[in-house]
Amino acid sequence: MKKIKMEQYNQIGSIHTTTIVTTKTDINTDDLPEEIQNCINAISTSGNITKIIINPNKLNGDIFTFSEFKNTMDIITGENGLNLEEYYFRRVDFRLDSYDPDFFESYEKLHRYIVALIAVTYKTRNQIESIDLFDLDLKTIVAKNDYFEIEYYNRDIKNKETGNTTEPAKARLELRAKAKNVSPGWTMNDLKDVFLSVWISRLEKSIMNRDLVYQRFNDTLERRYFKDKQKPQKIYRDLTDFLIKHQDRIFDRKQMIALLDRFPEVHDPSTRADWHKKKWKPEYYSMGNLQSAILEIKKSMKQFFRS
């Protein structure tokens, strides 16, 4: 990735939605003030535990500091709201937003790489890309397991689908934390560590597994190429066509050479890789690019939690 484009990679971080649990089971949302009701996305009770999904940003607008988040949660859960003596976080979604309408497409491939790195490192079994049926625009890239989720999605498309006319974000990378192995859940004081320590460590560990991503994608691309060649209706004119179509899943020169080495028709993978790069200019990422992206994510988190 070009230096100037990497320098323009920046997002604003904040907490989006949370899921809390409480032992209070007699909550009647109809009795709550309307502004508190608006913050509650869902509520359910099972046995002696009530689970509540809350979007605190619906109370007084978007929240961009941790102190404001705490104050808002105090209002929602306080005596004039849910009136909870105590509660614990079972899930917290941290969003990194861009308001640039070109951001989603511009950094789509980088985020596919980051999501893929997380997926192979933590062996997630649920990883999905979805596109719009008619206009073929990418909507989301996500990987998830019982402990976390990472999703990069086109917030602008989602706004149109849901009729949301107040959300200014156009692109969003969301890092979600789930208290799967923490009982009864996290306290407010735990959240800074959950994201600045656990999530950042997760990202830093994942970028050491670039070869696993190359292997996973190259296995798929090789299988797809030979499978498609057997079809009676031609899909690609040649290997170059195939590589152009799938270049958003080829992340650097090393991966390209390893992929080309799988095709008998390619006699010199290194030379062919360099020719393809010069001719078709696919975007590649260095280790430095990935480290810079993680530093920017960490910077956005720090800015939220220190204020």
Side-chain angles (χ1 to χ4, degrees):
M1 177 183 283
K2 292 181 179 179
K3 182 179 179 181
I4 189 170
K5 184 175 179 181
M6 195 71 248
E7 290 173 347
Q8 293 169 346
Y9 179 79
N10 53 76
Q11 299 153 292
I12 297 175
S14 61
I15 290 175
H16 182 214
T17 55
T18 68
T19 299
I20 65 171
V21 292
T22 176
T23 54
K24 184 176 180 180
T25 58
D26 59 346
I27 300 173
N28 185 351
T29 56
D30 292 336
D31 296 335
L32 299 174
E34 184 178 356
E35 62 269 22
I36 302 296
Q37 291 184 40
N38 290 338
C39 298
I40 298 174
N41 292 351
I43 183 168
S44 60
T45 299
S46 177
N48 62 349
I49 298 294
T50 297
K51 182 172 73 172
I52 311 166
I53 301 176
I54 297 171
N55 183 345
N57 299 279
K58 292 182 178 180
L59 186 65
N60 293 311
D62 283 341
I63 297 168
F64 295 111
T65 67
F66 190 48
S67 58
E68 188 181 358
F69 171 77
K70 289 190 289 186
N71 292 337
T72 303
M73 288 298 293
D74 285 345
I75 294 170
I76 294 171
T77 61
E79 61 181 28
N80 294 321
L82 292 165
N83 195 23
L84 307 180
E85 290 187 9
E86 66 176 4
Y87 65 89
Y88 296 89
F89 293 96
R90 295 299 301 168
R91 170 171 160 164
V92 182
D93 299 351
F94 193 92
R95 62 187 179 184
L96 294 124
D97 284 348
S98 172
Y99 307 114
D100 179 354
D102 298 322
F103 186 94
F104 182 81
E105 184 175 355
S106 184
Y107 295 96
E108 170 193 317
K109 184 175 178 179
L110 173 62
H111 286 104
R112 177 179 290 108
Y113 197 7
I114 291 172
V115 172
L117 285 161
I118 288 288
V120 299
T121 300
Y122 294 94
K123 299 179 174 64
T124 62
R125 295 185 177 180
N126 193 348
Q127 48 275 329
I128 300 167
E129 282 195 22
S130 65
I131 62 172
D132 186 273
L133 176 62
F134 293 109
D135 62 25
L136 302 182
D137 285 339
L138 178 70
K139 296 167 68 174
T140 183
I141 306 169
V142 59
K144 61 179 78 172
N145 62 19
D146 291 340
Y147 302 94
F148 65 80
E149 297 180 12
I150 178 170
E151 181 174 8
Y152 181 60
Y153 63 98
N154 191 319
R155 184 68 235 194
D156 194 38
I157 289 179
K158 188 168 184 179
N159 291 342
K160 293 171 183 175
E161 290 177 343
T162 60
N164 188 337
T165 59
T166 59
E167 173 61 69
K170 303 299 182 183
R172 176 170 294 168
L173 174 65
E174 200 154 279
L175 307 179
R176 301 166 186 145
K178 304 175 185 178
K180 174 72 174 178
N181 56 352
V182 181
S183 182
W186 296 304
T187 66
M188 185 70 75
N189 291 333
D190 294 325
L191 298 188
K192 182 177 181 180
D193 183 67
V194 167
F195 288 99
L196 276 175
S197 178
V198 177
W199 246 115
I200 293 300
S201 295
R202 193 174 282 144
L203 289 165
E204 290 174 340
K205 178 181 177 181
S206 74
I207 64 174
M208 305 308 295
N209 290 318
R210 301 184 308 284
D211 285 349
L212 294 179
V213 170
Y214 305 160
Q215 178 76 27
R216 188 75 173 268
F217 276 113
N218 283 1
D219 287 348
T220 299
L221 292 171
E222 177 189 12
R223 184 170 60 252
R224 176 61 60 88
Y225 179 68
F226 288 114
K227 181 180 178 181
D228 289 347
K229 281 188 70 174
Q230 301 303 314
K231 294 180 179 179
Q233 185 174 9
K234 184 173 288 190
I235 299 175
Y236 317 106
R237 290 178 301 176
D238 52 27
L239 178 59
T240 297
D241 268 1
F242 177 83
L243 295 173
I244 292 170
K245 180 174 177 60
H246 295 291
Q247 65 184 16
D248 281 348
R249 287 161 177 78
I250 303 170
F251 302 102
D252 73 4
R253 181 177 183 270
K254 180 180 178 181
Q255 181 191 353
M256 175 65 91
I257 292 172
L259 176 61
L260 289 168
D261 196 40
R262 296 174 180 228
F263 304 124
E265 64 201 82
V266 179
H267 302 296
D268 186 342
S270 296
T271 300
R272 179 69 177 269
D274 292 341
W275 173 84
H276 188 91
K277 172 64 174 173
K278 183 177 181 180
K279 177 72 173 178
W280 303 107
K281 298 178 174 56
E283 187 168 69
Y284 287 161
Y285 307 99
S286 66
M287 180 62 151
N289 292 148
L290 293 172
Q291 290 171 330
S292 294
I294 293 173
L295 282 174
E296 180 58 34
I297 291 169
K298 188 174 184 178
K299 175 184 170 184
S300 297
M301 285 184 174
K302 278 186 173 181
Q303 187 163 342
F304 175 79
F305 281 107
R306 75 183 174 202
S307 51

